[in-house]
Amino acid sequence: MSPIGQENTDVNAAIDAELQLMDPAVRASRSLAARLLDPEFVEVGASGRRWTYEEMIAALPELDGGGGEGDGDGPRFEPSGMGGVVLAPGVVHLTYETVFDGRRARRSSLWRRRDGETGWRMYYHQATPAPAGG
């Protein structure tokens, strides 16, 4: 595969994994989410709170979009403008926006795939509130 073809494959794999993390069924399952989050994961959420891997795995089923009531019929993240770039072999940076229950956020994620691993895992995520229409 050409280097450009591999970069496209890597970006698409990271996008697919990012979208999985927005799926209420994945968010409600600690074991499914754990496969997508890097053990060294850190997030700075839209609230400004810093989350570690352990904190996120514990809280994710109850957070926005997780279907904490168990029905999965609540609001969902609506992503748009998702794109990415390969920063280095095994490291992809994604950027996009979401709307959740009328609130917009700009998002940035770093995904990595370590040597010997086949799957991509989110290493870092940051969400920044965005004003309506801006």
Side-chain angles (χ1 to χ4, degrees):
M1 181 179 297
S2 73
I4 292 174
Q6 184 61 51
E7 287 188 7
N8 288 338
T9 298
D10 290 349
V11 168
N12 288 336
I15 288 172
D16 180 60
E18 185 90 33
L19 292 172
Q20 287 179 49
L21 276 174
M22 288 184 223
D23 182 325
V26 173
R27 296 175 74 80
S29 168
R30 289 181 173 94
S31 63
L32 291 176
R35 292 194 326 226
L36 294 167
L37 296 179
D38 191 274
E40 297 176 3
F41 170 83
V42 173
E43 174 174 328
V44 177
S47 67
R49 178 179 173 173
R50 182 182 184 279
W51 297 83
T52 65
Y53 173 85
E54 293 82 10
E55 291 168 335
M56 184 57 70
I57 293 298
L60 193 59
E62 303 305 318
L63 294 177
D64 286 347
E69 293 78 42
D71 58 18
D73 289 335
R76 292 177 178 248
F77 286 96
E78 299 171 32
S80 64
M82 192 174 288
V85 62
V86 174
L87 298 178
V91 180
V92 171
H93 179 218
L94 299 181
T95 57
Y96 61 102
E97 290 191 8
T98 58
V99 174
F100 181 85
D101 201 22
R103 298 183 316 267
R104 289 182 56 233
R106 293 189 178 98
R107 298 181 178 270
S108 176
S109 298
L110 290 176
W111 287 82
R112 73 178 178 182
R113 186 182 62 217
R114 294 184 177 191
D115 289 341
E117 292 185 357
T118 57
W120 287 88
R121 291 179 169 218
M122 184 184 282
Y123 174 74
Y124 179 80
H125 183 79
Q126 181 158 351
T128 303

